[in-house]
Amino acid sequence: MDELVALCKRRGFIYPSSAIYGGLKGFFDFGPMGIELKNNLKRAWWQHMVYLRDDIVGLDSSTIMHPDVFQYSGHLDTFSDPLVDCKTCKGRFRADHLEKPQCPQCGSATLTEPRPFNLMMKTTLGPIDDPSALAYLRPETAQGIFVNFKHVVDSMNVKIPFGIAQIGKSYRNEITPRNFIFRVREFEQMELEFFVQPGSDDQWHSYWVEQRYQWWVKQGLDPIKLKKFNQPAEDLSHYAKATVDLLYEFPHGCEELEGIANRTDFDLGSHSKEQNELSLTAKVQENKHSVTRLAVKGDDNSWIVPYVIEPSAGVERGVLAVLHQAYTQEILGEGQTRIVLKLPFHLAPIKVAVLPLAKNNTHMVEVAQRIVKMLKKSQLGWIVLENTGSVGKSYRRHDEIGTPYCITVDFDTIGQDGNPDLWETVTLRDRDSLAQIRLPIKELVAHIRNVQEQRDDE
Ligand code: ATP
């Protein structure tokens, strides 16, 4: 973990938040490389969940919601972790994270009895700071989907089974944020609420567990390090009938990367209760809207409150897993080693770096610029020109940030060495195999595309 944290800081992936003021526990900032990796992971999720399917639509709801949402969702009463205080050093800890009944900070055994601590973050809205102004930052994106259920049903042509997908920030006032970006207080979730006919829910639950498992493997995670874990009944959240966690062997241990829950009709059912008719009418009868339930037409044409299957993944945990999996230290011989991030092409922040061999050779730099322009047009992703004059150093840097290809423009490329066969050709270096091949400039895009397609099919 320490090596990964150091690399993330050194190479512009992740920085501690507010570092110049001593940092803020549980918050992190994503640097120029980190934001690309994070966006690429989110894009891959959206592609898989929304664009490649016909039964899922997207949504982006607000992060602060009406306090009643969390009253009816059960979060105000039950979304808590057991908190203990150390009477000696005044440290505070999560009781279920303690290995023994002893303070992990000072070793004292004088701990208070555990008491529930609600994890929702509070804020106030408007100019008057009194209890009526109290609001909560959402602890999961899911509630934004449930309270918009009727809007989506009314405005889109959806029929169960169908899903609503959302990627966005969530906030939890974690008692002990730790393990780098694994447990933080502000994070992003990629959540799908997939609405199904009651009775078909167990089958859909298994389907989504398998889908999500395979998706993480496509993001480069080693199946040996990715495990399915059935949560025991006593650990289930207040809303869940069953939950399967996907656990990954993070540097600090095997822990939850994503949870796939069967939330039954708990949420739509509770938001349907005690609400005024207008705000909730969702049952659509032939051409006219009526009935005060968040309902849709079921298989037998009767009106039902659908059950919902929820795959819920943390973006930060995804980034950590992908980085950990990709981080490789290799011995190159003659006492030389290299660190390389073996990220899949679609996740790599920079796809290709173009390096002129001699930084002051105007002709060479111009050719490099032309190649960059051509590659940018091909929409492979982020392409950079790196004119440092030190190709060896550039290779090392790009290995560490996971750039799949480096292209070197040299004297042969510009015809200065007199070999006409090599004119307008460049060296393409593959990050993982270290193989270097000579290619005509005009074949670069097709070659990179072909290799990627082959690798994607594997
Ligand atoms: P944990 O038991 O580790 O606290 P959880 O079971 O409370 O997690 P869920 O409520 O199922 O988590 O949230 C869904 C996903 O959101 C998790 O699988 C995780 O990837 C992510 N997540 C939850 N809490 C955090 C956090 N504090 N920091 C980063 N990601 C989180």
Side-chain angles (χ1 to χ4, degrees):
M1 182 72 107
D2 289 347
E3 283 174 37
L4 203 56
V5 173
L7 177 121
C8 283
K9 194 167 168 212
R10 182 170 78 241
R11 294 301 189 192
F13 281 91
I14 300 162
Y15 314 122
S17 165
S18 317
I20 61 168
Y21 290 104
L24 189 61
K25 227 173 165 224
F27 296 88
F28 286 89
D29 298 334
F30 283 76
M33 295 303 145
I35 180 62
E36 295 299 325
L37 171 55
K38 189 165 139 166
N39 280 345
N40 291 342
L41 189 68
K42 291 195 286 184
R43 198 175 299 118
W45 187 89
W46 198 265
Q47 175 80 7
H48 180 77
M49 291 303 216
V50 182
Y51 297 154
L52 290 179
R53 300 183 64 102
D54 302 319
D55 52 2
I56 297 179
V57 291
L59 181 83
D60 185 30
S61 66
S62 63
T63 56
I64 295 178
M65 303 174 75
H66 194 291
D68 282 357
V69 170
F70 302 111
Q71 179 68 56
Y72 286 102
S73 71
H75 284 84
L76 269 175
D77 293 333
T78 53
F79 194 62
S80 48
D81 281 337
L83 171 71
V84 289
D85 292 83
C86 170
K87 292 181 189 163
T88 312
C89 74
K90 309 290 178 223
R92 293 189 147 172
F93 312 96
R94 241 178 96 163
D96 58 331
H97 280 174
L98 296 180
E99 276 159 25
K100 38 192 174 187
Q102 197 178 331
C103 173
Q105 211 159 268
C106 73
S108 156
T110 56
L111 298 177
T112 60
E113 282 301 307
R115 61 188 189 285
F117 171 75
N118 195 293
L119 297 183
M120 280 202 293
M121 285 203 198
K122 298 185 189 102
T123 187
T124 52
L125 303 179
I128 300 162
D129 189 3
D130 72 13
S132 68
L134 183 65
Y136 298 95
L137 277 65
R138 66 181 181 196
E140 57 173 18
T141 71
Q143 292 309 320
I145 297 181
F146 297 130
V147 300
N148 277 295
F149 176 79
K150 171 182 151 30
H151 289 144
V152 175
V153 169
D154 284 353
S155 56
M156 303 295 295
N157 184 21
V158 287
K159 258 185 100 202
I160 58 164
F162 76 93
I164 304 178
Q166 172 160 233
I167 301 178
K169 291 269 188 186
S170 291
Y171 299 84
R172 294 185 188 180
N173 199 2
E174 294 281 351
I175 297 168
T176 39
R178 56 185 178 170
N179 296 322
F180 193 30
I181 55 169
F182 178 83
R183 186 173 301 286
V184 283
R185 289 179 169 144
E186 174 182 334
F187 54 98
E188 280 185 272
Q189 289 181 309
M190 306 185 281
E191 293 197 304
L192 166 69
E193 304 303 325
F194 197 77
F195 302 98
V196 303
Q197 175 86 20
S200 68
D201 50 311
D202 291 340
Q203 219 174 328
W204 278 109
H205 193 200
S206 312
Y207 167 85
W208 279 111
V209 170
E210 204 44 44
Q211 283 281 313
R212 299 303 307 143
Y213 185 95
Q214 294 306 337
W215 185 81
W216 282 113
V217 172
K218 279 264 174 214
Q219 308 318 304
L221 301 193
D222 182 349
I224 292 174
K225 293 186 181 159
L226 196 58
K227 302 194 170 72
K228 295 172 196 158
F229 171 72
N230 273 301
Q231 275 192 16
E234 63 273 21
D235 290 352
L236 289 174
S237 303
H238 61 277
Y239 49 72
K241 169 181 162 188
T243 298
V244 177
D245 287 340
L246 298 183
L247 310 180
Y248 175 74
E249 277 176 30
F250 287 99
H252 62 276
C254 193
E255 287 210 55
E256 177 179 334
L257 167 65
E258 169 162 356
I260 299 112
N262 181 343
R263 290 179 83 129
T264 68
D265 58 358
F266 178 88
D267 301 271
L268 290 185
S270 10
H271 290 307
S272 294
K273 281 179 209 145
E274 303 183 41
Q275 300 287 326
N276 71 64
E277 201 163 316
L278 268 182
S279 69
L280 270 187
T281 306
K283 177 171 163 183
V284 187
Q285 288 176 338
E286 310 310 320
N287 301 325
K288 75 173 196 281
H289 295 233
S290 69
V291 184
T292 57
R293 300 274 287 171
L294 288 174
V296 287
K297 227 169 194 179
D299 288 348
D300 58 0
N301 261 351
S302 65
W303 293 101
I304 50 145
V305 179
Y307 270 31
V308 65
I309 307 301
E310 176 197 72
S312 170
V315 177
E316 281 71 7
R317 287 190 191 179
V319 167
L320 182 59
V322 159
L323 279 172
H324 173 59
Q325 181 74 57
Y327 185 95
T328 316
Q329 230 171 345
E330 280 181 354
I331 297 163
L332 299 176
E334 293 166 17
Q336 273 198 323
T337 58
R338 71 162 181 157
I339 292 169
V340 53
L341 276 189
K342 295 192 170 179
L343 291 168
F345 185 85
H346 72 278
L347 293 181
I350 296 174
K351 309 301 183 198
V352 185
V354 183
L355 323 168
L357 189 65
K359 74 171 178 185
N360 297 325
N361 186 312
T362 322
H363 190 179
M364 216 179 267
V365 175
E366 276 168 9
V367 173
Q369 283 166 339
R370 172 157 57 87
I371 295 172
V372 166
K373 212 169 160 190
M374 175 188 82
L375 292 172
K376 279 184 193 240
K377 261 200 194 149
S378 73
Q379 301 200 339
L380 285 169
W382 191 12
I383 313 292
V384 299
L385 175 88
E386 201 158 285
N387 192 19
T388 61
S390 171
V391 170
K393 260 196 195 150
S394 291
Y395 283 164
R396 258 191 303 284
R397 186 177 104 81
H398 283 286
D399 281 347
E400 288 198 10
I401 58 178
T403 307
Y405 297 106
C406 285
I407 291 171
T408 308
V409 180
D410 56 21
F411 292 100
D412 287 329
T413 315
I414 58 172
Q416 216 163 303
D417 271 0
N419 182 348
D421 291 343
L422 297 179
W423 189 55
E424 282 290 302
T425 66
V426 286
T427 304
L428 182 78
R429 173 187 183 266
D430 182 276
R431 177 196 69 198
D432 297 347
S433 68
L434 290 177
Q436 299 199 15
I437 54 172
R438 197 88 198 170
L439 273 180
I441 293 172
K442 59 179 186 312
E443 286 176 23
L444 280 170
V445 174
H447 176 86
I448 293 172
R449 283 232 167 87
N450 284 345
V451 174
Q452 282 328 125
E453 270 166 29
Q454 275 169 26
R455 286 184 188 165
D456 282 351
D457 289 345
E458 273 163 18

